[in-house]
Amino acid sequence: MSDEDKENGMAKRTQVMGEAFVARAMSGVDGFNAPLQDWLNEHAWGSTWQRDGIDLKTRSLVTCAMLAALGRSHELKGHVRGAIHNGASLVELREVLLHAAVYAGAPAAVEGFRVAREIIDELGLAVPPLEEKR
């Protein structure tokens, strides 16, 4: 990995996930897991997240859907924050998680909603009012 790729990857990772998240992720880097963090910074953040074609909000929402489908709650928490940081509304996030339920199953959706609500509450965001017609 070039120094430029590493710098671009860290910059995009920080832009999407926030400084605190990246600092936590990088604080545990050691001789065992450094290759993984380098790979993530090069391939996920330094390449894929840098691509044109879809905006960061869409990329974040797609990532949330996939993480919910896979039941990857720990990673989903960070990417819910990232999606909100990238301009996704709570309604958009809700609809992506509901859509994931159809294709990934109810348990994945329940876990996705639970994780998203934890972050929504932690951030102190106002939840949209209940819709009349459900």
Side-chain angles (χ1 to χ4, degrees):
M1 172 171 55
S2 73
D3 288 339
E4 185 178 349
D5 288 339
K6 186 176 182 179
E7 288 174 20
N8 289 341
M10 285 295 290
K12 184 61 71 176
R13 191 176 189 179
T14 302
Q15 176 188 353
V16 172
M17 304 300 284
E19 288 184 29
F21 180 92
V22 174
R24 278 191 308 274
M26 299 307 290
S27 71
V29 172
D30 59 25
F32 180 73
N33 63 16
L36 173 62
Q37 290 300 321
D38 288 344
W39 185 86
L40 290 169
N41 286 327
E42 180 180 9
H43 296 287
W45 299 106
S47 176
T48 305
W49 279 85
Q50 304 277 339
R51 294 180 56 80
D52 294 329
I54 58 174
D55 60 24
L56 288 178
K57 179 175 84 170
T58 303
R59 205 171 287 283
S60 284
L61 288 169
V62 168
T63 302
C64 287
M66 287 187 282
L67 291 171
L70 292 168
R72 303 298 193 256
S73 298
H74 182 76
E75 291 296 316
L76 180 57
K77 287 179 184 181
H79 283 281
V80 165
R81 283 181 203 281
I84 292 167
H85 182 77
N86 285 331
S89 71
L90 297 184
V91 171
E92 290 170 318
L93 185 58
R94 177 190 69 203
E95 293 304 316
V96 163
L97 294 173
L98 279 171
H99 199 76
V102 173
Y103 296 97
V110 168
E111 180 68 3
F113 270 84
R114 187 196 64 72
V115 167
R117 185 54 184 256
E118 184 178 322
I119 300 304
I120 290 165
D121 291 347
E122 188 177 302
L123 295 174
L125 299 174
V127 174
L130 222 87
E131 298 171 1
E132 294 282 329
K133 183 180 176 184
R134 291 189 299 171

